[in-house]
Every structure is written in structure tokens, then in C-alpha cells.
Amino acid sequence: MTAPVLEVRDLVKEYGEGEARVHALRGVSLTVERGDYVAVMGASGSGKSTLMNILGCLDVPSSGRYLIDGTDVGALSEGRLAVLRNRKIGFVFQSFNLIPRMSALANVELPMAYGGVGAPERRARALAALEQVGLADRVRHEPNELSGGQQQRVAVARALVTSPALLLADEPTGNLDTASTGDVLDIFDRLSASGRTIVIITHEDDVAARAKRVIRLVDGRIVEDRRRIPAGGPPPRAASGTGEDTAAGTVAGAAADVEAAG
Amino acid sequence: MSPFEILRFALRGLAANKLRSFLTTLGILIGVAAVILLVAFGEGASQGVQQSIQRLGANTLTISASFGGGGGGGGGARQQGGPRTQARQLTLEDARALADPAEAPSVKSVSPVVAAEAAVAVHDGASHALSQLIGTHPSYFEAVNKPVEAGAYFVNDDVLAARKVMVIGRTVAEALFGAVDPVGRQISVSGVPFTVVGVLKESGSSGMQDADDIAIAPLPAVQQSLTGFGPLGSIIVQATGADTTETAQAEVTALLNQRHGITPTGTADYRILNQAALQETVSSTIGTFTALLGAVAAISLLVGGIGITNIMLVTVTERTREIGIRKAIGAPRSAILGQFLVESTVLSLVGGLAGLLVAFVGTRFTVAGIDPVLVPSSIVLALGVSVGIGLFFGSYPANRAAKLRPIQALRHE
Ligand SMILES: Nc1ncnc2c1ncn2[C@@H]1O[C@H](COP(=O)(O)OP(=O)(O)OP(=O)(O)O)[C@@H](O)[C@H]1O
Ligand SMILES: [Mg+2]
């Protein structure tokens, strides 16, 4: 067995100094195997985003170790870290974080531009990724000309266009209506089915229900780690019937269709 | 990430805010154009003045009587201090003494000069108020660099015989004769008839005075008819060469001190104006003037540079979130730094080149009689400084942005 995709040991994150000190993470240890689909839940302020930012190499912990594919992230130089973010991690933000005044296509191309992919290949792959999220007809639109759900799907396309081993999503459906939520989650199901490792933060139980493993955070500590399906197995919704939510048959069918088409 | 890609990102960044980019460029443009133009005008003025001084005649000393304690002008040499013995005027005898090759070997020629005041020349009903009527010797023409264009100079014989002949300037010729050739015709000055023997070559007006509004006649003729046989107005001494003017001045000083009975501690009753020294003083004055202009222009260039810094600071602050996003998806520090550096360098380079263009066009015009002369070093300096400003002032905000951790940048409001 190869090293786990993610491994964190005794992760502590503190913000501020003295009186104003906040303990966002109080010793989190977690191992995520390849192909797993993990939902992180917890009350507001429990440290979910803090954990996710560290996992995405966007922030550094106050103490503790973090390994990606067996490499200690804390020991990496700034330059290596940039390469790691670019090649291995796809990050979907709760607030989309698309670059304004750049078309959807240019936004999706951007990670490949920094990754040194040639222009023609870049364009082809960006178009394919946008098609995968169902936005083939919106490639020339700028973020302010897209709906929230469409923006989030562009953000997902940007995260998966480099085929990262690890997809991290911080409340990717928090701002979306039911239909858009379904669209985005279907994409995640398909990615999971194709073997990507996914970690997703959510407040909603029916979003968590589509994951293979649910982790609950309280006050910067993991209080519950429930596995529902083996890491190597298909995601609950794609393997129809194993999901707890019974009202999702149509969405699952749609997801299966898209998958068959892709 | 290729440099071309970085340039593309930078241009896109600039295009996103066209008006702001334009105004910033304008600041640099004005700075660069001002530096080049002002230095060019300073240089033009300097060359112009040098030329008109040279036109006055090279290697000459002008000796004039001095009374009272009036300060000598630029290049004026005076002995100071001590009680003054009785002040004496300059006389023809002084001039003769200076012309002695044994006593003053560095002196090439000596021209005693008297000037008649308010002389009016009349010819055939036309009259003209001469701004200068000078009585002197023929050597004067060479000493003060006034060649004739038509006719001839008067000669020593004319001086000895006190003949009433005259060489006139172009302005006088035109005022009195129009298109007619004045040579051989008569002019009456204050009722005294003079025959025109020559017309001076046009020397062009330099400064306030029209150098062509002049009439020159033999010394005794002017004394006899107009000024009387009083003291000389001045003595023009021409040295044998440019490098002997100083020696000539020393010889002249020694001779005159002796003749006027001036002790080494006494105050001289004459002063000597050295053309070369004057030229030096004037050009150093203009040099200072040009440096001042350049400094003013440099300040405007600096202000332009601060404009770039300001804009880059605003741009970077405004786009901190964007920087965070770029870093989050794997942009290396060099790419972020490169993008903002290229943005500011493009701004300043475009501004600099446009300023250069404006300066080139501007120096085609003559303003207030000054023909601007482009100074290559000022071009190099202005362009270099403008690009340097872009790099230097752009690097601070760019570096600050590139150093941020992605999450810090993303949280920025
Ligand atoms: N930059 C910061 N400076 C100071 N305190 C912070 C900072 N970021 C987060 N915190 C604190 O750390 C704790 C955890 O924050 P975090 O954003 O991880 O919560 P969360 O679980 O994502 O909450 P939510 O579900 O509302 O997004 C909170 O108490 C928060 O106030
Ligand atoms: Mg959060």
C-alpha cells in the first residue's frame, strides 16, 4: 500500500495573541486514503475552514505535521509549495473566488498557465472541463455574467482541470439552491467514482450523505469519524440504493447519464 | 510560466483599468518630456549666448575709465583698496603706449574709441537716430569682428588726415538708403557731412541691442566734428592669441598703472573687461541655470514615479484577493512579482517613450529666440530614470503582494 494521500498529526492552529487568542484547531489527527470521499461537518466556528486551508496548503499550522503523499509539507520551500498547490490539489472555495473580468475559459485555463501547459492543450482541456460541468455554452462569460451555481461550477472546473489527486471543497454548495447543489454534487460523485480523493466541508446532512466517510468537528477536535463505505468502493449515490436519502433517484440517474456520456 | 505569458497577464491587468493606466503614463510622460526639453532649451540658450559673445570679437580686452566704486561686471578686473590718487581719464597717449611692442608684446592691436551721443544721420531727407556712432582706428574692425560687406574699411591715412569717411551698419544703410548702394554717398551727422566708404556685414541682433545700428568713422573726424578732443571712451586691445589674453591683460595693467601713477595698493581708475573671462562667466551662469531647470524637471519625473508607486500600491491592494486566488491555484511567487513589475515597467516605459516623442517634437520649435539643442545624455538619463522608477517603485508593492500567504491575501477585504 502506498502512503495515504493526506496525513495530519496533532494539528494545532491558534489565531491572535494573549487575550484575543483563539484555538481554532486543538490537535487534529486524520488519515485520508486514496479514493476516499470525506465530508467534514461541525458547528460554525468549529475549525472546519481552518483545517481545510491547511490541507490545501493555503495556511500553515501553529504546530503538528502534515504529509501529502508521504511528503512533509512543512519542509517544502515556497516554490515547491506552489507546484504542489498547482499539480496535486484542486480547491473549491465557498465563495467561488473566480478572478473578475476574466472569462470562464480564462479562469479555468489559469492553473494550467501557471503549470506550464502549452496554450492549445490548455484551451482544449479547459473546454473539456467546462463541458464536464455543463457550461459549454458559457465559456466566454465573465464571472459577473454567471449565476452563483454557474460560477461555482466554473470554480469546480478550475479545480479539476489539472486532474489533481486531491479535491478540497469548502462548503461548495453553501450558496447554491437545490438544483445547483445537485449539479455540483453530481460532479463530485463522478469524480469520486473515477478514483479522485475528495474532502468536502458541509453543514447539510444530505450533502454529507453522499460521502463515504463523515467526520465531525467540535471546538477544533474530531469527535466522530464514521465510515459508511470503504474508501475503494463507489460513492453511495452512484451505487444506487446504498444512499440514505431516498428522494434522490432522479438526480442519481442524471449523474449516471452524465458519467456514461463522459 | 513563460515571460510572454507574464507580459500577457500584465497587459490584461493594465487594460482592466485604462483611465488609471493612462493617467499614470501621463505623469511619467510629462516628467520625461520636461527633463529632455528643459535641458535642451538650457543647452540652446547657452550655445546661443556663446555664439553672440564670440561674435563680439575674440581675444579682446576692453579698457574703460572707472569712477567711483561701481562694481566691475563679469570679467572686469579691478584693483581694490587703498586711497585713490587723482583719477585720470584714458587718453590717446595711453593707447599709443599700449601699442608699443616692446612694452606689451602680447598686444596685437590697440584701438582708441570715442562714442558720440545721440547722433542723427540724415541723407536726402531720410533721417535716422544712430544708436552707436564710434570714432576709432581701422584695427577696431578686426578686434571686434566687424567685416565689411560692400566697399572698404577706412585706412590709417584717413585717420591721420581726419577724413570724414564712414562705415555704416546694415540697419543704418537700409534706413537711409533703402535699396540704393550707399557706398560713395554722403550722410550728414549733426550737420557734418561724411562719405560712406563701406557697409558692415550683417551680424544679427543679439539680445536687446541691434548690433547693425552702428556707424564707424576715423577717431579724429568724430572728435573734431562731434565729441571734441576730450578723453577716450574706451580702448579696445586685441591680444595676439587666445592664450595670450591673460598676459596681454597683465601687460596692459602694468603699463596703465605706471602711466596713471597707481601704486600696487591703490585703486585703479580704469577697468579691463576680458572677453574670454566674460564668456566663461556667462557660460558658467547658464550652466547653473540649465542645472536648475534640469532639477525642476527631475522633480516632476520623481513625482511621476511616486504616481506609479501610488497606482501600483492601489492596484495591488485592490487585487490582493486576486493575488490570493492566483497563489491558491499554484502561481509561483516569481509569476506574481513578474506580473506586477511588468505592469509598472510597461507604464513607465510607455510614458518615457511617449515623453521622448513629445520632447523630439518640442525641440523642433524655437521659443523666445532659443533654438533647443537635444542633449543625448539627458535622453538616456530621463529614459533610464523612468524605467528605473517603474522597477524600483513597482517592486515594493509587488514584492509585498507576492510574499503574502494565499489565505492572508484571500481574506483581504
Ligand atoms: N484569521 C483569523 N483570525 C482570528 N481568528 C480566526 C481566524 N480565522 C478563523 N478564526 C477563528 O477560528 C475559529 C474557527 O474558524 P473556522 O473558520 O475554521 O470555522 P468554521 O468551522 O469554518 O466555521 P463556519 O462553518 O462558520 O465556516 C473561529 O472561532 C474563528 O473565529
Ligand atoms: Mg468555514
Side-chain angles (χ1 to χ4, degrees):
Chain A
M1 186 71 206
T2 52
V5 178
L6 279 184
E7 189 175 1
V8 292
R9 288 279 157 265
D10 302 320
L11 217 54
V12 172
K13 179 71 181 178
E14 291 167 352
Y15 292 111
E17 289 294 319
E19 290 283 292
R21 171 161 300 190
V22 176
H23 296 270
L25 294 178
R26 300 165 187 264
V28 171
S29 296
L30 174 71
T31 304
V32 178
E33 299 296 339
R34 192 167 305 282
D36 210 349
Y37 186 172
V38 184
V40 179
M41 300 191 73
S44 179
S46 55
K48 304 183 297 294
S49 294
T50 304
L51 175 64
M52 196 63 123
N53 291 335
I54 294 171
L55 295 184
C57 301
L58 306 181
D59 208 351
V60 290
S62 305
S63 71
R65 270 160 68 77
Y66 173 31
L67 301 124
I68 289 186
D69 279 340
T71 333
D72 189 346
V73 170
L76 291 182
S77 69
E78 164 94 27
R80 301 292 302 271
L81 218 50
V83 173
L84 185 75
R85 286 186 205 117
N86 188 250
R87 303 265 165 83
K88 292 231 167 118
I89 302 169
F91 206 105
V92 182
F93 298 90
Q94 181 174 2
S95 51
F96 319 140
N97 277 343
L98 298 177
I99 295 181
R101 288 187 295 272
M102 263 172 79
S103 69
L105 185 65
N107 263 290
V108 177
E109 277 188 30
L110 203 56
M112 292 184 286
Y114 289 123
V117 178
E121 188 193 342
R122 203 155 73 198
R123 171 134 315 189
R125 277 168 66 179
L127 284 171
L130 281 166
E131 195 173 332
Q132 212 180 337
V133 299
L135 284 177
D137 55 340
R138 293 282 189 279
V139 293
R140 297 280 160 213
H141 287 60
E142 294 184 0
N144 59 2
E145 299 161 351
L146 294 170
S147 76
Q150 288 168 336
Q151 288 186 55
Q152 192 61 291
R153 279 186 280 161
V154 174
V156 171
R158 183 179 65 187
L160 57 83
V161 74
T162 51
S163 309
L166 183 59
L167 190 70
L168 305 173
D170 187 350
E171 297 191 44
T173 60
N175 289 328
L176 306 184
D177 62 15
T178 332
S180 302
T181 300
D183 287 347
V184 170
L185 291 179
D186 288 346
I187 297 164
F188 281 38
D189 280 349
R190 271 186 290 120
L191 290 170
S192 178
S194 67
R196 297 287 163 73
T197 311
I198 299 173
V199 180
I200 180 174
I201 292 179
T202 184
H203 279 292
E204 297 156 71
D205 287 329
D206 47 342
V207 174
R210 300 172 78 143
K212 300 175 187 172
R213 177 183 177 194
V214 178
I215 287 172
R216 202 167 292 274
L217 274 182
V218 172
D219 253 356
R221 285 198 184 87
I222 294 180
V223 295
E224 187 190 346
D225 186 347
R226 187 158 54 94
R227 175 160 298 286
R228 302 171 61 236
I229 283 179
R237 195 59 72 88
S240 59
T242 44
E244 287 166 3
D245 193 349
T246 49
T250 50
V251 183
D257 286 349
V258 176
E259 200 180 339
Chain B
M1 183 109 197
S2 70
F4 172 74
E5 205 88 51
I6 290 177
L7 180 68
R8 213 168 53 97
F9 280 157
L11 291 182
R12 190 182 287 177
L14 292 177
N17 230 316
K18 292 191 186 66
L19 181 64
R20 184 194 288 174
S21 304
F22 169 74
L23 289 176
T24 314
T25 309
L26 195 63
I28 289 293
L29 184 158
I30 292 171
V32 167
V35 168
I36 298 176
L37 273 178
L38 291 184
V39 170
F41 274 101
E43 181 67 18
S46 157
Q47 290 190 5
V49 171
Q50 300 255 17
Q51 273 165 13
S52 54
I53 290 176
Q54 262 157 22
R55 218 181 281 142
L56 294 178
N59 319 328
T60 57
L61 305 171
T62 306
I63 306 159
S64 49
S66 103
F67 310 99
R78 292 185 58 189
Q79 280 89 354
Q80 298 283 332
R84 153 168 301 193
T85 49
Q86 186 172 8
R88 287 190 219 179
Q89 302 280 10
L90 294 170
T91 61
L92 203 50
E93 282 67 43
D94 288 332
R96 288 211 183 95
L98 295 178
D100 181 355
E103 295 283 338
S106 303
V107 172
K108 184 178 176 194
S109 73
V110 177
S111 318
V113 172
V114 293
E117 308 258 328
V120 176
V122 180
H123 168 79
D124 203 12
S127 85
H128 175 74
L130 295 167
S131 74
Q132 279 178 288
L133 171 56
I134 284 170
T136 186
H137 288 179
S139 55
Y140 179 81
F141 293 101
E142 192 201 330
V144 302
N145 193 17
K146 284 195 184 301
V148 293
E149 183 181 56
Y153 305 108
F154 52 81
V155 293
N156 279 328
D157 250 8
D158 297 321
V159 175
L160 291 176
R163 287 201 190 100
K164 307 245 170 349
V165 290
M166 187 173 257
V167 176
I168 57 175
R170 178 120 301 277
T171 307
V172 182
E174 268 162 22
L176 294 180
F177 299 95
V180 183
D181 180 12
V183 176
R185 292 173 196 271
Q186 292 233 319
I187 296 178
S188 95
V189 180
S190 305
V192 184
F194 284 84
T195 310
V196 176
V197 293
V199 179
L200 293 171
K201 196 164 168 237
E202 192 164 3
S203 63
S205 55
S206 57
M208 301 290 131
Q209 211 180 19
D210 181 0
D212 295 315
D213 190 3
I214 191 171
I216 303 167
L219 178 72
V222 173
Q223 287 179 319
Q224 236 172 44
S225 51
L226 298 161
T227 62
F229 291 89
L232 296 176
S234 59
I235 301 172
I236 308 281
V237 172
Q238 188 180 21
T240 49
D243 42 353
T244 54
T245 9
E246 293 299 321
T247 340
Q249 182 166 354
E251 291 164 5
V252 166
T253 308
L255 271 170
L256 285 178
N257 280 355
Q258 184 197 333
R259 289 184 56 80
H260 289 206
I262 291 161
T263 57
T265 54
T267 308
D269 52 8
Y270 61 91
R271 58 179 162 184
I272 302 175
L273 192 74
N274 185 333
Q275 208 70 259
L278 176 67
Q279 193 163 335
E280 225 163 81
T281 313
V282 169
S283 53
S284 88
T285 310
I286 289 186
T288 315
F289 176 67
T290 306
L292 260 174
L293 282 183
V296 169
I299 289 172
S300 75
L301 194 56
L302 187 71
V303 170
I306 293 172
I308 285 208
T309 321
N310 190 19
I311 289 304
M312 290 318 290
L313 271 175
V314 170
T315 304
V316 166
T317 311
E318 215 181 55
R319 285 158 64 188
T320 304
R321 261 181 79 85
E322 178 188 326
I323 293 167
I325 299 171
R326 286 176 187 270
K327 292 203 84 169
I329 60 174
R333 187 140 130 197
S334 60
I336 304 279
L337 193 65
Q339 175 180 343
F340 286 100
L341 271 189
V342 170
E343 277 190 26
S344 61
T345 307
V346 164
L347 279 185
S348 58
L349 193 64
V350 168
L353 289 176
L356 186 60
L357 200 73
V358 168
F360 272 141
V361 173
T363 48
R364 304 246 156 264
F365 297 100
T366 304
V367 178
I370 299 171
D371 264 326
V373 178
L374 274 176
V375 183
S377 63
S378 77
I379 297 174
V380 174
L381 188 82
L383 271 186
V385 166
S386 81
V387 172
I389 278 174
L391 280 173
F392 181 77
F393 288 113
S395 65
Y396 167 65
N399 208 8
R400 218 176 56 160
K403 269 214 295 251
L404 287 175
R405 241 180 284 148
I407 201 70
Q408 291 173 318
L410 280 170
R411 285 232 184 84
H412 188 91
E413 288 308 322

